[in-house]
Amino acid sequence: MEKHIAYYESPIGWLQIIGTDESIERIDVVEQRGGRNIPTSFMPWIEELEQYFQKKRTSFSIPLKLIGTPFQVRVWEALQTIPYGQTVSYAHIAKEIGRPKAVRAVGNAVGSNPFTIVIPCHRVVRTDGGIGGYAWGIERKKWLLEHETR
């Protein structure tokens, strides 16, 4: 199956979308746009991202191909259950997946989430209420959290 790469300019920067006509394999924030056009098959998924940024969408139906260890996949699936505009702690996710002592491992899996925004890792914060880390920068995480609660 042919892989496509597309770029979408979002309020948090350029998003690079990698996938096939059937599913997305990665969405990353990148510093600059590449030279490729958006494949027709990606257009409904781009529209969902636009709706999210326009506050017209709170969840996604984009088909994702989760490529990771079984533990990572469990964490990423748990992240998808966090309601729009809400946050949970890394410890909460660890309990949700039945591994309450694996908080650090959960943090690592959250940090390696290959689907920025669509799998809402930005909604995970520290137990003490601190914002925690974010692979694409704390300012972007703050922006996304504020976007969902304004």
Side-chain angles (χ1 to χ4, degrees):
M1 219 166 268
E2 184 180 357
K3 282 195 184 180
H4 304 291
I5 299 175
Y7 295 87
Y8 166 69
E9 188 173 15
S10 79
I12 64 165
W14 284 100
L15 301 181
Q16 180 187 61
I17 304 164
I18 302 171
T20 65
D21 289 336
E22 285 76 40
S23 64
I24 299 296
E25 294 179 9
R26 289 195 71 80
I27 302 174
D28 289 311
V29 176
V30 294
E31 292 305 315
Q32 60 185 11
R33 177 185 194 274
R36 300 173 191 226
N37 293 325
I38 298 173
T40 304
S41 60
F42 281 26
M43 291 309 293
W45 308 329
I46 297 291
E47 186 175 320
E48 286 193 29
L49 288 166
E50 287 179 351
Q51 291 169 349
Y52 169 83
F53 286 115
Q54 295 168 358
K55 298 186 82 61
K56 296 177 182 176
R57 174 175 288 278
T58 60
S59 63
F60 296 94
S61 63
I62 297 171
L64 306 175
K65 184 174 182 181
L66 300 178
I67 302 169
T69 67
F71 181 83
Q72 287 173 320
V73 170
R74 282 190 8 227
V75 170
W76 299 335
E77 289 171 343
L79 296 178
Q80 292 177 75
T81 68
I82 305 169
Y84 178 89
Q86 296 183 26
T87 59
V88 300
S89 69
Y90 296 95
H92 174 85
I93 296 295
K95 286 179 191 172
E96 284 288 308
I97 65 166
R99 301 278 305 275
K101 294 185 179 184
V103 176
R104 193 170 296 229
V106 164
N108 289 334
V110 169
S112 64
N113 169 24
F115 301 101
T116 186
I117 301 162
V118 177
I119 294 182
C121 57
H122 60 277
R123 296 180 191 155
V124 183
V125 297
R126 295 189 334 220
T127 303
D128 66 6
I131 196 165
Y134 191 60
W136 295 282
I138 295 298
E139 289 306 313
R140 287 185 176 109
K141 183 172 184 172
K142 287 179 184 176
W143 189 95
L144 290 165
L145 292 172
E146 289 174 10
H147 171 72
E148 291 186 5
T149 57
R150 285 184 235 143

